[in-house]
Amino acid sequence: MADSANAPKPSSSVKLVLLGEAAVGKSSLVLRFVNNDFQENKEPTIGAAFLTQKCNLPTRTIKFEIWDTAGQERFASLAPMYYRNAQAALVVYDLTKPTSLVKAKHWVAELQRQASPGIVIALVGNKLDLTNDGAGSGAAESGDDSGDARKITTEEAKTYAEEEGLLFFETSAKTGYNVTEVFTAIANAIPETSLKSARGPGASHAAGRTEEQRVNLNGPRDPNAKEGCAC
Amino acid sequence: MAVESLSDTLWDVVICGTGLSQSLLALSLSRSGKNILHIDPNEYYGGAEAAFSLQEAEKWAASVSTPEAQAPSLFKSASITKPENVEDLSFPRAYSLALAPQLIYARSELLSQLVSSRAYRQVDFLAVGSFFIVKSPSAPSEPRTLVRIPSTREDVFSTSAISVKAKRGLMKFLKFVVDFDNPENSEKWKPHAQNPLFEFLQDQFKMDTELQTYIITLTLSLDGRIETKEGLAIIHRHLSSMGVYGPGFAAIYPKWGGISEIAQVSCRAGAVGGAVYMLGTGIKGTSAADDGMELELTSGDKVKTRMLVRGYEDGTRDAGISRLVAVIGSPLKFLFEAVVEGAPIPGVAIVAFPAGSLTTAAGNASASPVYVFAHSSDTGECPTGQSVLYLTAPATPDSKELLDKALEFFLSSVGETPVPQSLYHVYYEQYAGMTPPASGTDDLAISFPAPSFSLSFDDTTLDPVRGVWKRVMGETAIETDYMAFPDREGAADDDIYD
């Protein structure tokens, strides 16, 4: 993601929230996307839960602000402000674990109920490396004769995603398969009109409903400034 | 650090309750490297400062509907009224009604801390616009009118609402307040420091009742009898906050429910700093343990901690305020106009019924002002095309009736035909919190005081939080490190990895 175009393309921030049952690989997907890295036996996420990564499209640059759940999903105590104004959500399940798809459906329903109406939701079945489709890695751990730990068929999840109007991918954070594709697809699916320009005061008439009224706390604190926000 | 199980960890601090004080503490301690478990017996964030969807409001109101609140609630007598024609009401989640809306002056220490801790990036702030009073008509047949209070010198200069003589008096006063602490001016007010401000205005500045009302309204004094010393300090804060974050406004309001949003953002930052969150979980019992204390949680878990911090929710039974929250089926647009060029459109306007301007059916005049905070849909507290009104008065046997009256009169004074309708009411009373018992330096359990009634954010509520942070950090506490944290990776505007 380091190609620096000569002419600056319009750049927009997109808030993306990550949801899914514990241990399905949410943080690993982000780690693969952001750092192109993978950690075996990664500990549950506590802390460092806010990451950013740019995604270069032909006509614009999307800067994802990725909100991981910081382990809070274990206690089902996400603050409403976590979903609020999110323009995209990544709902992850583990395709070797049926309960995780149930949980994913629960999160999709919650997003449809609570999040902004135009939110782009991507359903992602992770751990493809543990299946026969997984480009030959990792499947050996499975006790299954076929060496295939898959418990959720592509068709089942895909049908559900189509019914609900979700983007759908099967990925492997371990091998990196399809990971960048997920984020690129989300970036492409965000309607141009819902993009707020890169954070910055004043830069906002094209932005969402009330953006232009925002008061910028990072401006000069000058009580004598009659012309205000020199943003 | 992986938290495999709650009970295997020795927590540095367990914090109970997610009101603003506790949430700021969680943010400051977790990001200063302490191991924090943050719980709340409620299923929602924000405690007595929460913001509710209609569904949540109904659930909450049912739990505090009795005239005598069961300890330890700070609330009582909550009731919800939905007039017949509620088809204009949107879906419950389209609302975020604040239990304790407070405006925040630009000079508030809270804003400095939100900036230095970088938590402000997750909050959207709106400008607080004009202050109005509802003027009683000279003849009973005439309608009540709204008069905008001129609150800066430019404003006074350009207003046509008051006489030239009154302008001169007001100018003189504003000039005095800007330097009220210099020796010459101090001499003038110090002898009257404890007297009511309105008397001082009358005696020293020859202000008539109407001008006095303007000034008292700017102080947001709940009983209208604020003392001279305190009142002057508040007007000074108003004037010195003007223009700090942009032209034409002195205070700001966090979108989506005010203080509740800041509490949530702090919890979120606390989680990012490593704090673990559990809602719907309170404390059943405490006992001494080797390294501190052992807590039995209502979830059945037992956890060990070096310290416990919670809110002190024992309300005194003799002082309180009445609040009425009303969703209005009109945007009330004229309240939210920027009056200075280049100013942002305000999301909040303040309206006051001066003391004595309302009368009950039994003929009792209102002894205190009634304040109406009007919030536009820009606050995210209601859908577009509607607005939310928050009315406040000291609790008395008459206060419910007075608030209902104030709402009715306000809606008929705004000059819209047909008169805007109220779509949804929440009424409740809130007790003043008692001062928690002072904790000794050996105490392992510390209590924060209950939230103040103040209609503007009171900086003194930040002091106990800093105090606990210092105590937990112990010898490693460096005062300038308090709430000073770098941005999380990549969050800065200028991305250094570009």
Side-chain angles (χ1 to χ4, degrees):
Chain A
M1 298 259 158
D3 71 318
S4 48
N6 305 338
K9 285 182 283 190
S11 156
S12 319
S13 299
V14 166
K15 177 174 168 185
L16 179 146
V17 298
L18 264 178
L19 293 164
E21 192 173 73
V24 295
K26 295 184 291 298
S27 303
S28 297
L29 278 170
V30 172
L31 199 62
R32 172 62 73 188
F33 176 58
V34 173
N35 294 341
N36 198 17
D37 191 13
F38 181 79
Q39 291 171 10
E40 201 82 56
N41 303 319
K42 189 187 167 305
E43 291 183 333
T45 303
I46 300 280
F50 183 78
L51 293 162
T52 62
Q53 176 63 291
K54 285 189 177 166
C55 189
N56 278 309
L57 301 182
T59 59
R60 53 183 174 164
T61 302
I62 300 283
K63 182 178 170 191
F64 282 111
E65 295 177 352
I66 303 168
W67 291 54
D68 201 347
T69 44
Q72 290 179 91
E73 80 279 11
R74 292 199 305 156
F75 305 109
S77 303
L78 295 178
M81 58 88 52
Y82 177 78
Y83 312 93
R84 204 169 272 158
N85 294 340
Q87 289 141 296
L90 207 61
V91 180
V92 187
Y93 67 95
D94 173 348
L95 40 74
T96 69
K97 201 174 163 201
T99 57
S100 71
L101 181 61
V102 175
K103 188 75 187 164
K105 289 178 178 176
H106 161 86
W107 286 118
V108 169
E110 181 141 345
L111 285 169
Q112 288 169 340
R113 213 169 48 235
Q114 301 204 25
S116 329
I119 190 168
V120 173
I121 306 175
L123 180 70
V124 174
N126 191 34
K127 307 198 183 177
L128 192 63
D129 49 276
L130 300 180
T131 73
N132 279 348
D133 311 313
S137 61
E141 299 168 38
S142 169
D144 222 314
D145 277 343
S146 62
D148 190 347
R150 181 192 280 277
K151 294 277 166 29
I152 297 167
T153 64
T154 308
E155 288 67 34
E156 180 189 353
K158 200 173 174 196
T159 308
Y160 164 73
E162 277 167 6
E163 279 166 11
E164 298 293 333
L166 319 175
L167 298 169
F168 173 69
F169 289 89
E170 290 188 338
T171 61
S172 166
K174 186 171 179 176
T175 67
Y177 177 78
N178 246 355
V179 174
T180 309
E181 285 76 0
V182 175
F183 289 90
T184 309
I186 292 174
N188 277 311
I190 307 263
E192 199 116 14
T193 50
S194 79
L195 290 172
K196 51 179 178 179
S197 3
R199 268 175 209 252
S204 47
H205 45 275
R209 304 148 296 181
T210 58
E211 228 22 59
E212 63 266 39
Q213 307 312 343
R214 224 167 72 164
V215 173
N216 175 32
L217 292 202
N218 211 16
R221 281 187 80 154
D222 179 5
N224 300 316
K226 293 293 180 218
E227 281 308 302
C229 293
C231 351
Chain B
M1 170 210 62
V3 179
E4 279 313 322
S5 110
L6 296 170
S7 51
D8 289 347
T9 308
L10 173 60
W11 302 95
D12 290 314
V13 184
V14 170
I15 302 172
C16 183
T18 53
L20 182 69
S21 297
Q22 291 103 313
S23 302
L24 289 173
L25 181 68
L27 157 65
S28 65
L29 284 174
S30 68
R31 293 214 53 196
S32 289
K34 295 296 174 184
N35 202 1
I36 306 298
L37 175 63
H38 197 173
I39 62 177
D40 192 320
N42 299 314
E43 291 289 350
Y44 51 84
Y45 286 85
E49 292 149 323
F52 291 140
S53 70
L54 302 187
Q55 231 159 19
E56 290 167 323
E58 276 154 36
K59 214 168 148 190
W60 172 83
S63 73
V64 290
S65 59
T66 52
E68 274 311 303
Q70 286 118 11
S73 178
L74 289 169
F75 299 97
K76 63 164 184 163
S77 302
S79 63
I80 289 181
T81 325
K82 284 182 261 188
E84 295 292 300
N85 57 334
V86 287
E87 68 262 30
D88 293 336
L89 214 53
S90 187
F91 61 98
R93 289 233 162 252
Y95 298 89
S96 179
L97 306 180
L99 279 183
Q102 286 182 316
L103 46 88
I104 306 170
Y105 272 97
R107 294 283 180 194
S108 170
E109 172 64 19
L110 174 61
L111 298 182
S112 310
Q113 292 185 5
L114 291 177
V115 170
S116 69
S117 65
R118 295 294 179 258
Y120 78 102
R121 290 190 191 284
Q122 315 304 341
V123 191
D124 285 345
F125 290 98
L126 300 169
V128 173
S130 298
F131 285 58
F132 299 84
I133 59 165
V134 182
K135 204 171 166 180
S136 299
S138 37
S141 57
E142 314 227 322
R144 287 176 165 73
T145 47
L146 285 186
V147 180
R148 201 174 67 80
I149 299 176
S151 62
T152 63
R153 277 185 273 180
E154 292 81 353
D155 234 5
V156 174
F157 193 70
S158 60
T159 187
S160 56
I162 55 176
S163 72
V164 175
K165 183 163 169 257
K167 275 191 188 186
R168 231 177 283 136
L170 204 48
M171 283 293 204
K172 199 173 142 206
F173 173 71
L174 294 178
K175 207 171 149 215
F176 166 82
V177 178
V178 167
D179 285 317
F180 82 113
D181 252 347
N182 77 15
E184 191 193 334
N185 288 347
S186 302
E187 235 167 78
K188 194 166 176 180
W189 63 264
K190 283 220 162 120
H192 312 281
Q194 315 301 324
N195 298 339
L197 177 62
F198 71 84
E199 278 179 22
F200 176 75
L201 298 174
Q202 191 175 325
D203 298 345
Q204 301 295 318
F205 289 90
K206 308 292 172 235
M207 285 191 192
D208 63 17
T209 319
E210 185 170 341
L211 280 195
Q212 290 168 30
T213 306
Y214 285 7
I215 304 296
I216 299 298
T217 298
L218 289 180
T219 68
L220 297 174
S221 164
L222 282 167
D223 62 4
R225 301 187 58 84
I226 191 165
E227 290 176 2
T228 300
K229 183 183 177 188
E230 197 190 349
L232 291 177
I234 292 175
I235 303 291
H236 176 81
R237 181 181 65 182
H238 183 94
L239 295 176
S240 66
S241 289
M242 192 60 81
V244 169
Y245 290 122
F249 62 96
I252 57 178
Y253 182 79
K255 197 173 164 172
W256 309 109
I259 294 297
S260 152
E261 186 69 0
I262 296 187
Q264 285 187 47
V265 165
S266 302
C267 290
R268 177 76 199 142
V272 170
V276 170
Y277 280 81
M278 296 172 79
L279 292 187
T281 306
I283 294 168
K284 212 192 264 171
T286 63
S287 54
D290 290 346
D291 298 311
M293 55 203 296
E294 186 176 84
L295 310 178
E296 189 186 355
L297 306 183
T298 53
S299 59
D301 294 298
K302 287 193 172 147
V303 298
K304 287 194 286 291
T305 184
R306 297 183 203 276
M307 199 186 283
L308 168 66
V309 180
R310 53 186 156 184
Y312 194 68
E313 307 226 310
D314 272 359
T316 59
R317 295 296 183 260
D318 52 356
I321 52 172
S322 294
R323 295 184 189 263
L324 175 64
V325 185
V327 176
I328 307 301
S330 156
L332 300 176
K333 266 214 153 57
F334 76 99
L335 288 174
F336 308 105
E337 279 166 7
V339 290
V340 175
E341 204 180 308
I345 303 288
V348 174
I350 316 287
V351 182
F353 285 85
S357 66
L358 295 163
T359 313
T360 62
N364 302 330
S366 53
S368 311
V370 171
Y371 292 97
V372 185
F373 278 27
H375 292 194
S376 79
S377 61
D378 283 353
T379 59
E381 292 173 3
C382 65
T384 314
Q386 301 180 6
S387 51
V388 185
L389 301 179
Y390 296 92
L391 293 83
T392 315
T396 64
D398 289 335
S399 51
K400 187 171 197 294
E401 187 183 345
L402 290 170
L403 291 183
D404 284 341
K405 261 221 151 91
L407 177 61
E408 183 196 328
F409 287 155
F410 172 74
L411 291 176
S412 60
S413 73
V414 299
E416 289 182 18
T417 328
V419 171
Q421 292 296 302
S422 167
L423 310 176
Y424 194 88
H425 284 187
V426 189
Y427 174 83
Y428 55 98
E429 291 170 18
Q430 185 175 353
Y431 292 122
M434 293 207 292
T435 312
S439 48
T441 43
D442 301 336
D443 288 350
L444 300 180
I446 297 175
S447 295
F448 284 146
S452 113
F453 285 163
S454 174
L455 296 179
S456 60
F457 182 76
D458 180 356
D459 277 3
T460 60
T461 57
L462 298 170
D463 298 340
V465 182
R466 185 192 283 258
V468 172
W469 178 84
K470 247 160 75 180
R471 196 175 136 185
V472 175
M473 298 306 289
E475 282 160 15
T476 63
I478 300 168
E479 195 70 23
T480 51
D481 284 354
Y482 180 62
M483 284 291 221
F485 306 113
D487 269 307
R488 302 302 297 199
E489 184 188 341
D493 286 343
D494 302 311
D495 195 336
I496 55 166
Y497 301 106
D498 266 13

